[in-house]
Amino acid sequence: MKSQHLYIALSFAILFSLNSAAQQKPSVKVHGEVKTPLTLFSEDFAKMKRVTTTLKDHDGKDQSYTGVPVQEILEKAGATMGKELRGPNLAKYLLVKCADGYQVVLALAELDGGFTDRVIILSDESSGKPLPADKGPFRLIVPGEKRPARSSFQVTELIVRVAKD
Ligand SMILES: Nc1nc2c(c(=O)[nH]1)N[C@H]1C(S)=C(S)[C@@H](COP(=O)(O)O)O[C@H]1N2
Ligand SMILES: [Mo]
C-alpha cells in the first residue's frame, strides 16, 4: 500500500515537472484574423527565411539584429497579405504583445513588401548571439524610426485584428 502511494506521488511529480517544462519553452503565438493560428518556437525560427537589419538603440548606436520577416510569419499563418491586402483588409493591424504587458500596433500594410521596402523582423539573434534574457528570446525590430519604442522585446503574441469604428 505504502509503495503504491509513493508510486502515484512520483508519477504526479513527473507529470507536473514535464508540464511546467513544456510551458516554460519560449514561444510566440500567432492568432486572431488568420487562417492557420500558429505557435512558433526557436527551432521554427531557424527553419524560416532570415534577414539581418539594423536598429539604432537608445544611445543612437547601430545594433545588428537577425530574424524572420514578420511578413513571412503572417503569410505562414494565412493572414491577408500580398494580393489579398486591399479593400477592407487594409483596416487590419497587428497587435504585438510582450511578457511585461507592453504592446504596440502596426498596420498590416507596414509589414507587406507590396507597400514598403522597410523589412520589420521578429529577431532571435543580435550580432551572432541569442538575445539576452531581458530582451529576448524574441524581439520585434522596427528599423528606420526616430525612437526604438516599437521594437518590443520579450514578444509572446502576434494578433491580427480588424480596426472597427
Ligand atoms: N516589452 C517591452 N519592449 C520595449 C519596451 C518595454 O517597456 N517593454 N520599451 C520600448 C522603448 S520605449 C524603448 S526606447 C526600447 C529600448 O530598447 P533598448 O534598451 O534596446 O535601447 O525598447 C522598447 N521595447
Ligand atoms: Mo523609449
Side-chain angles (χ1 to χ4, degrees), residues 68-96:
V68 178
V70 176
Q71 178 174 9
E72 292 279 313
I73 296 172
L74 293 180
E75 281 170 354
K76 192 172 159 114
T80 53
M81 302 300 277
K83 288 199 293 280
E84 290 178 297
L85 192 48
R86 57 189 163 82
N89 288 335
L90 287 171
K92 287 183 184 164
Y93 62 95
L94 184 70
L95 173 63
V96 180

Side-chain angles (χ1 to χ4, degrees), residues 55-59 65 98-100 102 135 139 147-154:
L55 180 73
K56 273 201 194 313
D57 65 17
H58 231 152
D59 309 322
Y65 287 90
C98 306
D100 62 348
Y102 196 71
K135 296 283 164 67
R139 180 174 186 177
R147 285 186 286 141
R150 289 205 290 177
S151 293
S152 323
F153 40 77
Q154 297 183 323

Side-chain angles (χ1 to χ4, degrees), residues 2-63:
K2 259 192 178 166
S3 66
Q4 257 180 339
H5 281 157
L6 187 65
Y7 181 74
I8 289 165
L10 272 174
S11 307
F12 270 103
I14 289 165
L15 277 176
F16 271 112
S17 63
L18 282 177
N19 190 35
S20 60
Q23 281 172 356
Q24 274 160 20
K25 196 174 167 192
S27 68
V28 177
K29 275 193 172 171
V30 188
H31 61 109
E33 298 287 321
V34 298
K35 289 176 200 95
T36 319
L38 309 170
T39 302
L40 295 175
F41 298 95
S42 286
E43 57 264 34
D44 300 311
F45 279 71
K47 286 182 228 149
M48 295 173 79
K49 175 181 169 183
R50 295 180 71 77
V51 164
T52 297
T53 191
T54 303
L55 180 73
K56 273 201 194 313
D57 65 17
H58 231 152
D59 309 322
K61 257 187 77 187
D62 281 353
Q63 304 291 348

Side-chain angles (χ1 to χ4, degrees), residues 115-149:
F115 284 84
T116 176
D117 290 329
R118 173 170 71 168
V119 180
I120 295 170
I121 65 171
L122 192 58
S123 165
D124 59 353
E125 186 185 336
S126 181
S127 304
K129 281 179 261 167
L131 301 182
D134 61 339
K135 296 283 164 67
F138 311 115
R139 180 174 186 177
L140 188 77
I141 301 297
V142 188
E145 304 206 321
K146 291 191 177 174
R147 285 186 286 141

